[in-house]
Amino acid sequence: MYFLMDGCGPLNHRVGSGPWASRESLKMGPLADVTLLPGEERVIEHDKDIIYMCPFNGALKGKVFITNYRLYFKSADADPAVTLNVPLGVIGRVEKMGGASSRGENSYGLDITCKDMRNLRFALKQEGHSRRDIFDILFRYAFPVSHGLPVFAYLSQEKYEENGWNVFKPMEEFRRQGLPNEKWRITFVNETYELCDTYPTILAVPFRSSDEDLRKVSAFRSRGRIPVLSWIHRENQAVICRCSQPLVGMSGKRNKDDERYLDLIREANGTAKLTIYDARPSVNAVANKATGGGYEGDDAYQNAELVFLDIHNIHVMRESLKKLKDIVYPNVEESHWLSSLESTHWLEHIKLVISGAIQVADKISGGNSVVVHCSDGWDRTAQLTSLAMLMLDGHYRTLRGFQVLLEKEWISFGHKFASRIGHGDKNHADQDRSPIFVQFIDCVWQMTKQFPTAFEFNERLLVTILDHLFSCRFGTFLYNCESARDTNEVRSKTVSLWSLVNSEASSYQNPFYTPECSRVLYPVASMRHLELWVTYYIRWNPRIRQQQQSPVEQRYMELLALRDEYLKKLEELQLTDSSPNSSHLSNSSTPNAASPTQHITHLHTPF
Amino acid sequence: MEFSEHIKTANVEDVVLRRPFYQPTKGTLCVTGHHLIFSNRGGDSARPFLLLLRNIDAIEKRPSVSSGTITLKCKDLCVLQLDIPGMEECLNIASSIESLSSLETVSEMYPFFYRPPFLSLQDQWGLSSTEQHYAQMKEIHDGWRVSQVNRDYSVSPSYPPAVIVPHSIDDETLVKAARFRQGGRFPVLCYYHRETGTVIMRSSQPLSGANRKRCREDELLLQAVIDGSELGYIIDTRSSQQAQQARMTGGGFESKSCYRGWKRLHRQLEKGKVLQESLIKLVEACGDQSHSVDRWLSKLENSKWLSHVQTALSTAGLVAECVERDGHSVLVHGSEGTDTSLLVSSLAQLILDPDSRTLAGFLGLLEREWVQAGHPFQQRCAHSAYSHVRLRHEAPVFVLLLDCVWQLARQFPLAMGFSEPLLLRLAKEVYASDYGTFLCNSDQERCVTGVKERTHCLFQSLLRANERQHYSNPLYERTELAIWPSIQPPSLQLWKGLFLQWTDDALHLVEAQKVIQNLVSQCHRPLNEKVENTDG
């Protein structure tokens, strides 16, 4: 509050519009400064007069228009103009506020809850049904799935240099890991999703287990999600396997095939005791027995040790992030910021996830194979395996490797993106919704903060991924699993997010990246070293300084360019200087005679 | 030398030293007049470990029959442990350290004995004088002059001999105005803002007292500051209630009726004991080694340290805003004018003035606004966060300044010409140093004790070529714009580099910073070579 006036921040967060978008011949939006995407069409005939109740700048008069992809608002009188550019996919809930009897200024309008940590409020005139028109259109186009309409990804006509659907090829990724080998084989038993409808078609399993064995094991694992290999350590051959909980139930059922199968995993590299990481708090694991689930008992799995990682379920995470939103939007809880932040428990959950992944990575580094599961093996399990793989394998820390990691551990293994995000679905109170993937990206962000030179990609990539997690502009995060994606022809009918990213890769690259592939990264999971991701969660607030790496990155790039330019000039100068003597120099065999040449080579060497 | 009286046992063999980041090592401990020296016989190439006794804040001994343990808690927040064979040796060493580390005679302190080969006592002590500073600011020569009224320190014992005041105010008026200000600290210029032609002044509180005394000369002085313009702001670093209460003890504030055109704003900044206790709580929370660190954020909040950072930055922002956005001059004061006033005025200058954000400019700012302006370093930094002795005048005002500067640098990573290691170095030197810069409480004391003749100046040393490189920000890109910090709580972070520097779980973070530093420095190398080539 020291300022007598407020700084005007960048309210306009533009969701990346690639260079390719502009090359297409596009209709310009009626508000001139918006470029519509190929395939994007207006669904409101006229720009409507509306008042945006900006929590930072007060009521702003302006115009709104809506397309099948976005809601766009531009203020009429504020200078500089305030704009909102919100993909409809981000909208979680639209409500009318105020009724015909509403008194008070600007109390009649629309209240929009977004999935990306903000709410939007618009006030409208009561006359002329304008609210009804906008509400109906928003409701229809923000929730197309509920209205039997396609999401925008199916309407987009975007073209990119690169086809992002080619980023992840399961066989290539297995070969990169050195698979198959004499202990692990590749199976196509799930080619038609018969074994498990939420798994990918290609799986890596112990060499000594037959497809018949796999079928038997699948009967004892929740939703048929059998233990399969996610990652293998090249030197010590320790593996990370993932699965769902065993169907132990109240009676404490056992399954010989499952027991034998886990022992095969253990045996593969001679691990003395297989470690099973159950991501849940032990109480929850026990409680799951009541619904037919459970965990691997000591008696049944004698060569295994079971460790509970105390990570809470999707409902706890949803409530935690909701609390976080309450203390950061629209206004930051000022007076007791830190204890309020603490009471959301968000960072504590982050800590548990990271420290769980550290334990997995540490076991693997020590040469011991592990099996990771939670209940269904598609939320916490995905977090743990992918974070551990990020710690262990430098490939996943590259721009493309990270895409492979997401495609593999999250998308192909059936993290239920559609249910967790609720793409195009009006049912905002659906209990299946949960920010598990956001939490995972937060964990990745924490790692990039702690190892600023270890990742090839930058913060912008992480934010872009989260923006398009909701936007529905790309097919990447649509649907719950591969079988559903096949049915709906995602790969042929929609564009991949990686098409956008890889076509402008340089803007997602971390200039400080120094590859050290073999180094295992152990982040500090102590509360003292975890930070709130302010640049994501509080990015709408113009009063928060956006402490991004980007000014540093930019400055470094400038310096690099400056250096290159200087070196080039110097080289040119010296070449022209030395050209009359060039024959002499090239013949010269005495080292001392050729100082200009020396100088040139000298300048080249440090870089 | 008298130090030997305090040394009961000078040498002990087979002492085990435990310190952060190192394996426990066995070696010989030696106590000298100013240092603990620990040398490790095994490692022949290992340099002995040297600890300035002045750096020791608290000493805890646990003697047992055949041996004993001494824990040394240092002012730089490092905690060391010595396992000493023999109970008597242990007690002797402990008592030697106790008495030597609490010696208070300035001329016996180490800076008077420190004679490195790369520095000469003939070098100029300090970077600049008031006169030199004035000479550089041509644009103020019409309206402002240097006054030597305090040349013998009789007008204000804590002011430097020369100060900058409005041209129209003669020394006689200054003398009278000084009598109306606590400690004689009459309003003086600390910053002139070229773009708006307005200034930041600082002083101590007026001695209006319970019966609302007035001082014509003081009013004239302030009138001269806003001469021609209609408004000036007085930023009082106390709450208005505190300012009211100060009248009971002879202090007070500028009443509206007496100071026409001056508008008073109160922003309460904590100092003294409150600030010291905040530091103690913070260090306690940071030092909590239990790894489950329960309720860390609550503990951090309870220490209130970050809210002190917030208030300091926001008050400085207010001052800067008055000057730059409103175009009005500002007078900053609290009560004595030696603590929070300096904090606010120097932070406001960093926000506004690109010249103060270079390495040399920043050190110059510290010299003018803290050393010459009479911040009582010796009193404030006698003890740090661990000491068990009863605190008297201790307060980490300067550390708070460094933290605020760190926050600025974090929010504006390109705007500062200096880097975090400089701030860390200063945070250490202010408590225990080889240099004389932070000795004594005022310029007068420094003259009397011969600090300027017989010690070396830290700031000079930091500007030597190789040091300069280490303390420069390789990403630095000068901006002429004001840098307005965000003071929302999520924008302010704990300064881990200082407060968590001894916890080993953060080592890789330090490493990563070094890698980035190196990467960026490599960019500069060919450009530097160019300079060398043209020179040679």
Side-chain angles (χ1 to χ4, degrees):
Chain A
M1 275 196 322
Y2 69 87
F3 296 119
L4 304 171
M5 64 178 260
D6 263 310
C8 238
L11 279 170
N12 175 16
H13 179 80
R14 207 173 298 157
V15 175
S17 55
W20 283 88
S22 55
R23 284 200 202 165
E24 297 290 315
S25 61
L26 294 177
K27 294 158 278 185
M28 292 298 277
L31 297 169
D33 50 351
V34 188
T35 309
L36 299 187
L37 298 171
E40 183 178 0
E41 280 172 9
R42 304 185 54 178
V43 292
I44 275 194
E45 285 296 309
H46 302 286
D47 308 331
K48 303 274 187 184
D49 283 319
I50 203 165
I51 295 168
Y52 167 45
M53 308 295 289
C54 175
F56 313 110
N57 299 321
L60 296 166
K61 268 190 198 145
K63 292 204 181 281
V64 71
F65 84 92
I66 299 169
T67 70
N68 50 3
Y69 174 66
R70 82 185 87 203
L71 176 157
Y72 186 85
F73 167 86
K74 186 175 183 185
S75 68
D77 26 287
D79 185 39
V82 172
T83 58
L84 284 173
N85 191 351
V86 187
L88 297 180
V90 160
I91 295 175
R93 179 181 190 176
V94 187
E95 285 197 315
K96 292 173 185 167
M97 79 183 174
S101 60
S102 285
R103 296 277 170 269
E105 211 185 347
N106 299 331
S107 60
Y108 181 85
L110 292 174
D111 201 358
I112 300 173
T113 309
C114 296
K115 297 171 179 175
D116 61 355
M117 306 291 284
R118 58 179 159 162
N119 296 341
L120 305 170
R121 248 174 191 223
F122 293 102
L124 288 140
K125 290 206 181 68
Q126 294 204 16
E127 308 80 56
H129 301 300
S130 62
R131 179 171 82 167
R132 194 191 62 197
D133 294 351
I134 292 183
F135 178 83
D136 288 350
I137 281 178
L138 267 184
F139 204 73
R140 190 176 163 83
Y141 286 93
F143 309 122
V145 175
S146 303
H147 293 89
L149 294 169
V151 297
F152 180 73
Y154 283 91
L155 304 170
S156 168
Q157 304 288 319
E158 287 184 83
K159 300 270 183 299
Y160 289 96
E161 269 171 342
E162 198 188 295
N163 182 358
W165 293 120
N166 295 330
V167 161
F168 174 56
K169 300 217 168 84
M171 278 311 292
E172 261 178 36
E173 169 58 16
F174 279 133
R175 270 198 289 276
R176 186 190 69 83
Q177 293 191 25
L179 297 171
N181 61 21
E182 63 276 20
K183 299 287 187 185
W184 294 89
R185 67 186 184 95
I186 307 297
T187 174
F188 298 90
V189 65
N190 200 36
E191 195 153 22
T192 54
Y193 304 107
E194 265 172 70
L195 180 82
C196 171
D197 60 355
T198 58
Y199 261 10
T201 53
I202 304 173
L203 302 168
V205 294
F207 193 85
R208 293 177 54 200
S209 65
S210 68
D211 284 357
E212 193 44 42
D213 293 336
L214 302 180
R215 287 195 186 90
K216 285 180 188 159
V217 173
S218 78
F220 190 62
R221 290 279 164 180
S222 174
R223 298 171 202 270
R225 295 174 68 93
I226 62 166
V228 295
L229 179 146
S230 271
W231 192 78
I232 184 163
H233 192 288
R234 268 200 179 265
E235 278 82 49
N236 64 32
Q237 298 287 299
V239 297
I240 302 177
C241 288
R242 59 180 293 172
C243 58
S244 59
Q245 64 183 339
L247 299 175
V248 175
M250 289 301 272
S251 57
K253 273 199 297 276
R254 288 180 58 165
N255 182 307
K256 282 285 167 215
D257 296 298
D258 192 73
E259 290 163 22
R260 184 172 157 264
Y261 184 77
L262 285 197
D263 216 42
L264 288 178
I265 294 174
R266 178 191 64 78
E267 251 177 36
N269 80 330
T271 294
K273 233 180 177 40
L274 181 70
T275 307
I276 301 169
Y277 286 105
D278 188 326
R280 303 166 291 186
S282 60
V283 204
N284 299 30
V286 173
N288 259 286
K289 284 187 173 182
T291 50
Y295 52 90
E296 292 82 357
D298 290 349
D299 297 344
Y301 301 84
Q302 297 208 335
N303 293 326
E305 56 166 349
L306 183 65
V307 178
F308 293 104
L309 293 176
D310 285 326
I311 302 168
H312 286 277
N313 63 25
I314 58 166
H315 310 293
V316 175
M317 302 310 177
R318 180 181 56 238
E319 294 315 309
S320 174
L321 190 63
K322 207 175 265 172
K323 278 190 197 155
L324 181 62
K325 183 175 174 176
D326 286 345
I327 65 163
V328 300
Y329 194 91
N331 296 308
V332 170
E333 165 65 52
E334 280 231 37
S335 54
H336 293 285
W337 164 246
L338 291 171
S339 49
S340 305
L341 178 61
E342 188 169 74
S343 65
T344 70
H345 298 291
W346 183 252
L347 287 175
E348 212 177 303
H349 296 312
I350 297 275
K351 178 184 110 171
L352 284 169
V353 172
I354 292 180
S355 59
I358 291 173
Q359 291 179 57
V360 172
D362 192 44
K363 265 281 181 260
I364 296 291
S365 306
N368 297 296
S369 292
V370 304
V371 170
V372 183
H373 70 72
C374 42
S375 298
D376 290 313
W378 51 43
D379 294 306
R380 288 166 276 195
T381 301
Q383 289 180 330
L384 290 168
T385 57
S386 50
L387 282 173
M389 287 156 77
L390 208 53
M391 293 171 194
L392 288 162
D393 190 339
H395 177 64
Y396 298 126
R397 305 196 284 260
T398 64
L399 183 58
R400 276 167 185 270
F402 187 63
Q403 296 165 17
V404 169
L405 184 73
L406 298 187
E407 286 282 349
K408 180 173 148 58
E409 289 301 299
W410 288 86
I411 297 166
S412 89
F413 270 102
H415 172 68
K416 302 202 295 173
F417 283 104
S419 304
R420 297 289 177 258
I421 307 303
H423 291 132
D425 176 19
K426 66 176 182 182
N427 186 8
H428 61 83
D430 188 344
Q431 290 296 302
D432 253 1
R433 293 199 185 172
S434 185
I436 298 303
F437 186 74
V438 173
Q439 187 175 54
F440 161 72
I441 294 291
D442 190 331
C443 294
V444 176
W445 178 82
Q446 304 282 351
M447 283 185 68
T448 62
K449 287 299 271 187
Q450 294 197 15
F451 300 97
T453 61
F455 292 83
E456 191 192 13
F457 53 86
N458 58 15
E459 182 177 28
R460 189 175 165 198
L461 178 78
L462 300 179
V463 174
T464 302
I465 288 172
L466 290 185
D467 280 339
H468 293 299
L469 171 68
F470 305 121
S471 78
C472 295
R473 176 173 153 194
F474 300 99
T476 303
F477 299 115
L478 297 180
Y479 302 106
N480 283 332
C481 57
E482 291 290 79
S483 58
R485 265 172 227 120
D486 282 2
T487 315
N488 292 287
E489 298 169 275
V490 168
R491 283 167 174 263
S492 55
K493 290 190 169 166
T494 72
V495 178
S496 160
L497 169 59
W498 315 129
S499 301
L500 168 92
V501 168
N502 294 334
S503 299
E504 41 179 277
S506 62
S507 54
Y508 298 104
Q509 268 160 0
N510 169 15
F512 297 109
Y513 176 54
T514 356
E516 289 175 279
C517 293
S518 57
R519 182 172 164 216
V520 182
L521 305 184
Y522 291 115
V524 182
S526 137
M527 284 296 283
R528 297 178 197 177
H529 290 286
L530 296 177
E531 283 174 31
L532 182 70
W533 188 6
V534 170
T535 38
Y536 179 70
Y537 298 116
I538 324 186
R539 63 176 155 157
W540 310 120
N541 188 331
R543 291 174 193 131
I544 301 284
R545 176 150 306 284
Q546 301 292 319
Q547 167 48 45
Q548 284 163 335
Q549 185 78 348
S550 60
V552 177
E553 280 178 23
Q554 272 173 24
R555 175 74 178 140
Y556 179 56
M557 304 287 269
E558 278 169 33
L559 287 172
L560 279 176
L562 213 69
R563 181 200 67 180
D564 291 346
E565 197 180 309
Y566 166 69
L567 287 178
K568 211 171 126 210
K569 262 190 197 148
L570 194 70
E571 192 176 343
E572 281 167 12
L573 276 175
Q574 280 162 347
L575 282 177
T576 46
D577 276 359
S578 57
S579 55
N581 312 327
S582 59
S583 60
H584 164 69
L585 283 175
S586 58
N587 294 334
S588 164
S589 55
T590 46
N592 294 335
S595 64
T597 329
Q598 266 191 335
H599 199 84
I600 291 168
T601 44
H602 165 67
L603 277 166
H604 276 290
T605 43
F607 311 101
Chain B
M1 196 172 297
E2 306 92 328
F3 298 122
S4 58
E5 293 166 18
H6 301 282
I7 304 173
K8 295 191 174 137
T9 300
N11 272 294
V12 189
E13 301 282 334
D14 293 327
V15 172
V16 176
L17 170 70
R18 296 168 203 274
R19 56 180 168 139
F21 314 130
Y22 290 89
Q23 292 295 321
T25 40
K26 199 176 246 192
T28 308
L29 181 74
C30 174
V31 186
T32 73
H34 294 106
H35 290 97
L36 278 188
I37 303 168
F38 180 87
S39 45
N40 177 4
R41 286 164 306 166
D44 32 16
S45 66
R47 281 164 56 195
F49 169 72
L50 206 65
L51 180 71
L52 205 54
L53 288 167
R54 183 91 194 139
N55 190 4
I56 295 169
D57 202 28
I59 170 165
E60 289 160 17
K61 47 184 187 284
R62 262 179 291 124
S64 67
V65 184
S66 61
S67 69
T69 299
I70 296 177
T71 304
L72 299 175
K73 296 186 170 174
C74 299
K75 292 172 185 167
D76 63 7
L77 308 181
C78 183
V79 178
L80 313 165
Q81 194 183 304
L82 298 166
D83 298 342
I84 297 170
M87 185 176 73
E88 201 190 324
E89 278 84 355
C90 176
L91 292 173
N92 284 345
I93 293 280
S95 80
S96 309
I97 295 175
E98 262 162 7
S99 47
L100 285 167
S101 63
S102 53
L103 290 182
E104 291 205 12
T105 315
V106 172
S107 60
E108 285 179 357
M109 288 181 184
Y110 186 61
F112 285 87
F113 300 86
Y114 178 60
R115 296 290 175 264
F118 50 82
L119 292 173
S120 156
L121 284 179
Q122 266 68 57
D123 294 342
Q124 178 188 325
W125 200 95
L127 302 175
S128 176
S129 64
T130 307
E131 289 85 349
Q132 286 164 322
H133 183 58
Y134 177 83
Q136 281 163 5
M137 299 190 294
K138 297 259 182 320
E139 63 276 10
I140 70 166
H141 289 188
D142 285 342
W144 301 81
R145 68 184 184 93
V146 172
S147 164
Q148 315 273 4
V149 69
N150 197 39
R151 69 182 74 80
D152 55 359
Y153 304 106
S154 60
V155 176
S156 167
S158 62
Y159 262 177
V163 291
I164 303 173
V165 293
H167 220 293
S168 57
I169 300 297
D170 59 20
D171 282 359
E172 204 175 322
T173 313
L174 292 177
V175 171
K176 287 180 181 155
R179 282 190 208 125
F180 188 63
R181 294 275 172 178
Q182 182 171 2
R185 297 174 70 92
F186 55 89
V188 295
L189 178 112
C190 44
Y191 174 64
Y192 178 85
H193 192 62
R194 285 189 203 98
E195 287 74 12
T196 57
T198 50
V199 299
I200 300 175
M201 313 276 297
R202 57 174 158 69
S203 69
S204 60
Q205 65 179 340
L207 300 173
S208 45
N211 42 17
R212 301 175 187 276
K213 272 201 299 265
R214 289 180 62 167
C215 170
R216 186 73 203 123
E217 289 75 12
D218 191 63
E219 291 163 22
L220 272 175
L221 172 51
L222 284 189
Q223 191 54 49
V225 172
I226 51 166
D227 183 34
S229 88
E230 64 276 34
L231 188 65
Y233 284 103
I234 295 169
I235 309 293
D236 194 321
T237 62
R238 304 165 293 180
S239 68
S240 64
Q241 199 191 357
Q242 285 174 328
Q244 289 284 355
Q245 279 166 354
R247 287 175 43 222
M248 297 306 129
T249 49
F253 51 87
E254 295 83 355
S255 69
K256 213 169 181 175
S257 54
C258 310
Y259 295 84
R260 286 272 182 80
W262 287 91
K263 190 172 156 52
R264 208 158 21 87
L265 298 172
H266 291 273
R267 290 288 185 279
Q268 187 185 347
L269 269 73
E270 296 298 346
K271 52 178 201 165
K273 211 171 183 179
V274 177
L275 208 54
Q276 180 72 18
E277 273 162 11
S278 170
L279 178 76
I280 292 171
K281 273 192 186 165
L282 174 68
V283 170
E284 211 171 80
C286 291
D288 187 349
Q289 288 297 339
S290 61
H291 252 285
S292 60
V293 206
D294 232 6
R295 300 180 47 78
W296 154 251
L297 291 174
S298 294
K299 282 182 187 163
L300 188 55
E301 182 176 288
N302 286 340
S303 79
K304 296 218 169 72
W305 181 261
L306 283 172
S307 69
H308 299 314
V309 169
Q310 183 188 29
T311 321
L313 279 172
S314 77
T315 310
L318 176 65
V319 170
E321 194 171 36
C322 293
V323 169
E324 129 111 357
R325 287 192 181 154
D326 288 8
H328 296 303
S329 290
V330 177
L331 168 69
V332 186
H333 72 72
S335 34
E336 293 94 343
T338 52
D339 294 283
T340 51
S341 321
L342 309 182
L343 179 64
V344 170
S345 78
S346 39
L347 285 173
Q349 291 180 60
L350 280 165
I351 291 171
L352 290 171
D353 181 11
D355 290 337
S356 70
R357 300 184 211 130
T358 65
L359 177 60
F362 178 59
L363 295 177
L365 177 77
L366 295 183
E367 182 175 79
R368 281 198 310 281
E369 290 295 285
W370 291 81
V371 180
Q372 291 171 358
H375 176 65
F377 281 105
Q378 197 167 339
Q379 292 182 349
R380 297 290 178 261
C381 300
H383 287 285
S384 169
Y386 291 125
S387 178
H388 304 301
V389 304
R390 203 167 59 85
L391 298 172
R392 286 170 299 174
H393 306 293
E394 288 79 0
V397 192
F398 190 72
V399 175
L400 183 60
L401 169 86
L402 295 176
D403 195 332
C404 292
V405 176
W406 178 81
Q407 308 280 353
L408 275 175
R410 188 181 159 274
Q411 291 189 17
F412 299 90
L414 314 183
M416 303 292 194
F418 50 88
S419 62
E420 180 175 5
L422 179 80
L423 301 175
L424 291 170
R425 171 89 187 261
L426 291 168
K428 188 181 163 87
E429 298 280 344
V430 75
Y431 281 101
S433 179
D434 295 344
Y435 297 89
T437 301
F438 296 124
L439 290 179
C440 304
N441 295 308
S442 65
D443 201 64
Q444 185 182 21
E445 285 183 26
R446 255 167 242 124
C447 283
V448 172
T449 48
V451 166
K452 294 182 182 183
E453 291 80 40
R454 293 166 53 207
T455 76
H456 294 289
C457 168
L458 173 66
F459 297 154
Q460 288 283 8
S461 173
L462 291 175
L463 288 174
R464 286 176 300 129
N466 51 341
E467 299 269 320
R468 184 189 275 267
Q469 192 175 359
H470 181 230
Y471 292 119
S472 294
N473 173 10
L475 290 162
Y476 174 59
E477 186 180 32
R478 185 183 169 102
T479 170
E480 298 302 321
L481 300 173
I483 51 171
W484 302 102
S486 166
I487 50 144
Q488 294 260 309
S491 304
L492 304 174
Q493 296 263 326
L494 174 71
W495 185 8
K496 292 181 193 152
L498 178 66
F499 295 109
L500 297 177
Q501 64 179 315
W502 303 109
T503 54
D504 50 358
D505 52 0
L507 263 185
H508 68 280
L509 296 174
V510 180
E511 289 301 314
Q513 282 313 315
K514 273 189 200 146
V515 171
I516 288 186
Q517 192 99 2
N518 281 341
L519 281 173
V520 182
S521 304
Q522 273 171 24
C523 273
H524 289 282
R525 201 186 295 158
L527 307 172
N528 293 342
E529 275 172 17
K530 178 170 112 185
V531 178
E532 279 163 27
N533 286 342
T534 47
D535 285 357

